[in-house]
Amino acid sequence: MLRKWMAERVRRCSRSKWTLRRAVRRLARPDLTLFCAVLTVWAQASAASTPADSTASAQCERLGALHLPQTHIVAAETVSGPTFMPPGARQALDALPAFCRVSAVIDPAVRFEVWLPLTDWNGKFQGTGNGGYNGVIVYGALAAGLRRHYATSSTDMGHVATTPDPGSWALGHPELVQDQGFRAQHETAVRAKLIIRAFYRHSPRRSYFVGCSSGGWQGITEALRYPREYDGIIAGAPAFEVVHLHAATLWTHMAATQIAPQKFRLVTDAVLEQCDANDGVRDGLLTDPRTCHFQPAQLACREGQQPDTCLTSEEITAFEHIYDGLHYASGEPIYPGWPRGVEYALIAMRGEFPAALAASTFKDMVFDDPSWDYHNIEYDLDVRQADGRIGKVMNNYSPDLRAFRRHGGKLILWHGWDDPLISPLHTLGYYQQLARYLSGKSTEAAAVAAISDFARLFMAPGVNHCGGGPGPDSFDALSALEAWVEQGKPPERIVAAHLTKGVTDRTRPLCPYPQLATYTGSGSTDSADSFTCRTPPT
């Protein structure tokens, strides 16, 4: 009876006149096309041969004929593992189980892939994020999910990577900007789940999203716009509020180019000399850089001093600009500055790529003018104009995650304190705003405690952008998220490791904000066992 009912509904769905006109008129169901696609997948899965007379490889190949809305399946093929050479790559991915690789395109140009383990599927789906405006399938992220027995997906966000202008794909194409802003990840997740259903004959029991940088922004966007899409989200160093981030990138880049390269390390050394012991341990890390009040004028050059050992007045001003952040002429903040201790890494802001990426948002998406020169940016005018033109698509900074919370979703935010590309103070500010908005509490401690049932922030001392740096940067946030979602065990601490040439030489707990990793007074300061998570006195 069920198969007969589905067959009739699929037959009706195939009639284009019935599909949307009668849906809107009779049922007010604008998502009926997707509803029909789900029915079609169910029917195809029901009619498929049973495992007794069909191999997994044959089932994989049949996905090539799967009909999905506004989607073209390019290929469905079995990869036997344990290695796979991604298109255009120089090095193969290894340690992979056998999997079904599905490549597809969603109109107008959203390329995506879904990888499905042939055996030992854990019953779960993992969506993965991107970086910058890269416009590529992230094969490393697919491999990471597959090794954990997830069915996993990746998308190029609806465009192909372009150089030297990372956003030239957006010129004259607002629909592609929308894909980058929110549509591509959502539509990919929808199709991926349908493909999973068709292959395994049942939908994933849990869905998780993992991303950092632009991937972190995409994770927050999913929680905000599509709160039922994922049960848990890991958003690292989120590049959200893109207009303001990229305006600040230009501000910081132009300040950094006024500083001699060797001075970045000079200032970090001075910061550590003054503030390293603030947390009770001299280890080259600032557990909370906000407690450091170093001023660049302390290194002002004096008569007869070697120029490499001090700062010129221009360099002092440049560092002050970096620390203070970007403001409108009224004094209202546009984007926060960078904390003390990150200076050695900020040399990356002297490079042309961060400036090119940030400039592309304005010249390619806002002004449609390839000749626009970021050196002439007028922050008051241009940032407000950009917010008006693309802010609703590209910023996605709202703290209104009520629907995600009601769904039972869990959010792990994390950020490295030594990130030179995205200010960790911006992520911290968002978390504080999220806590105030959802809790209505006036004090930070009470507000954060009130949202800790679904959202927690972990700040990582000494960690650069999405990893790297002198701090412990290797940690398993996904296991912590799974335990939270599936067992109701919130992450009280996540142990991170620092590796040198593949060998662990330091571990340290990452603590949920506002707690800090605090030395107990005994044991090695390179061991996480010697630290406990404590809330600092106010």
Side-chain angles (χ1 to χ4, degrees):
M1 292 294 293
L2 177 62
R3 288 189 182 184
K4 184 176 180 181
W5 180 87
M6 286 195 298
E8 172 62 18
R9 293 307 181 275
V10 169
R11 183 180 65 80
R12 291 189 181 187
C13 283
S14 67
R15 298 177 180 174
S16 59
K17 291 182 180 179
W18 186 88
T19 302
L20 283 180
R21 284 206 296 268
R22 294 180 69 184
V24 174
R25 192 164 58 241
R26 287 188 174 186
L27 303 176
R29 284 286 302 273
D31 60 339
L32 193 65
T33 299
L34 181 58
F35 172 70
C36 289
V38 173
L39 285 176
T40 301
V41 169
W42 282 353
Q44 290 173 347
S46 251
S49 303
T50 63
D53 61 2
S54 174
T55 66
S57 294
Q59 289 176 331
C60 176
E61 292 172 5
R62 271 197 292 273
L63 294 177
L66 188 64
H67 295 291
L68 300 175
Q70 298 178 306
T71 304
H72 171 61
I73 304 293
V74 177
E77 58 185 357
T78 299
V79 179
S80 59
T83 62
F84 173 74
M85 181 66 75
R90 295 182 179 181
Q91 186 173 354
L93 299 166
D94 58 13
L96 301 177
F99 65 97
C100 175
R101 178 191 176 205
V102 179
S103 305
V105 180
I106 304 166
D107 295 338
V110 178
R111 294 186 304 128
F112 72 97
E113 291 196 18
V114 180
W115 288 10
L116 308 142
L118 297 189
T119 60
D120 300 323
W121 177 44
N122 65 9
K124 295 180 279 191
F125 164 61
Q126 181 184 119
T128 61
N130 304 69
Y133 295 149
N134 286 355
V136 294
I137 303 292
V138 185
Y139 287 99
L142 287 167
L146 188 69
R147 293 186 189 110
R148 297 182 68 133
H149 306 288
Y150 275 87
T152 184
S153 72
S154 177
T155 172
D156 69 352
M157 299 303 294
H159 62 268
V160 176
T162 53
T163 56
D165 178 357
S168 60
W169 50 268
L171 276 169
H173 290 284
E175 76 282 4
L176 300 187
V177 177
Q178 186 176 80
D179 284 343
Q180 172 67 42
F182 61 88
R183 179 177 174 268
Q185 279 290 356
H186 164 62
E187 297 293 350
T188 294
V190 170
R191 274 41 170 215
K193 290 180 182 182
L194 292 174
I195 291 169
I196 290 168
R197 169 76 197 188
F199 186 66
Y200 296 114
R201 302 181 196 174
H202 63 86
S203 302
R205 57 184 176 85
R206 294 292 186 188
S207 297
Y208 297 100
F209 185 88
V210 180
C212 191
S213 191
S214 282
W217 159 33
Q218 291 155 13
I220 296 296
T221 301
E222 284 288 317
L224 179 63
R225 289 179 178 266
Y226 309 103
R228 300 184 62 83
E229 200 130 275
Y230 290 99
D231 302 296
I233 291 171
I234 297 171
F240 51 3
E241 203 175 19
V242 173
V243 169
H244 293 222
L245 165 63
H246 285 174
T249 298
L250 297 175
W251 169 264
T252 307
H253 166 75
M254 287 189 279
T257 57
Q258 302 304 307
I259 302 169
Q262 66 273 20
K263 304 296 182 69
F264 291 92
R265 184 76 251 180
L266 174 74
V267 174
T268 292
D269 289 344
V271 168
L272 291 175
E273 178 63 28
Q274 178 175 317
C275 302
D276 190 3
N278 286 3
D279 54 18
V281 179
R282 279 201 171 273
D283 56 0
L285 304 177
L286 302 182
T287 301
D288 185 353
R290 296 174 301 168
T291 66
C292 183
H293 304 293
F294 168 85
Q295 297 299 322
Q298 295 172 215
L299 294 179
C301 290
R302 296 174 176 83
E303 186 176 354
Q305 192 171 357
Q306 292 294 324
D308 287 351
T309 64
C310 61
L311 299 178
T312 66
S313 59
E314 291 81 5
E315 290 170 332
I316 290 171
T317 299
F319 272 115
E320 290 173 344
H321 284 171
I322 291 171
Y323 293 144
D324 292 344
L326 181 59
H327 297 76
Y328 293 112
S330 65
E332 179 188 356
I334 295 175
Y335 192 85
W338 268 255
R340 271 64 170 174
V342 71
E343 301 83 8
Y344 74 95
L346 279 168
I347 194 171
M349 278 294 196
R350 285 177 54 89
E352 282 301 321
F353 177 75
L357 177 64
S360 69
T361 296
F362 289 89
K363 69 177 181 179
D364 298 324
M365 301 181 191
V366 178
F367 302 123
D368 284 327
D369 181 5
S371 66
W372 183 82
D373 185 351
Y374 68 83
H375 294 92
N376 300 322
I377 186 171
E378 297 180 30
Y379 292 103
D380 271 55
L381 177 64
D382 293 346
V383 171
R384 295 187 191 280
Q385 191 169 348
D387 277 342
R389 290 189 178 180
I390 65 171
K392 290 183 179 179
V393 172
M394 296 291 284
N395 281 341
N396 298 314
Y397 190 68
S398 170
D400 189 2
L401 299 187
R402 289 175 296 177
F404 181 68
R405 188 184 198 178
R406 285 195 300 268
H407 166 59
K410 308 299 183 187
L411 172 66
I412 290 180
L413 276 163
W414 75 271
H415 207 135
W417 271 120
D418 285 12
D419 188 335
L421 301 182
I422 299 172
S423 174
L425 295 173
H426 188 253
T427 299
L428 177 57
Y430 174 77
Y431 187 68
Q432 293 167 331
Q433 184 180 351
L434 177 71
R436 289 192 303 270
Y437 179 84
L438 293 181
S439 72
K441 305 290 184 180
S442 58
T443 66
E444 180 180 82
V448 168
I451 68 164
S452 63
D453 64 304
F454 93 101
R456 298 195 175 194
L457 167 66
F458 295 82
M459 302 301 292
V463 175
N464 294 165
H465 184 60
C466 296
D473 65 335
S474 179
F475 54 93
D476 185 3
L478 183 54
S479 288
L481 184 62
E482 289 173 321
W484 198 3
V485 170
E486 298 168 28
Q487 302 169 35
K489 296 179 180 179
E492 303 298 341
R493 58 188 252 160
I494 300 175
V495 175
H498 180 271
L499 287 75
T500 301
K501 296 182 179 179
V503 177
T504 298
D505 51 24
R506 173 181 287 171
T507 59
R508 189 68 57 87
L510 304 181
C511 303
Y513 183 83
Q515 296 181 44
L516 302 175
T518 307
Y519 183 52
T520 61
S522 63
S524 171
T525 57
D526 288 330
S527 172
D529 294 337
S530 304
F531 291 79
T532 185
C533 290
R534 294 179 184 168
T535 301
T538 55

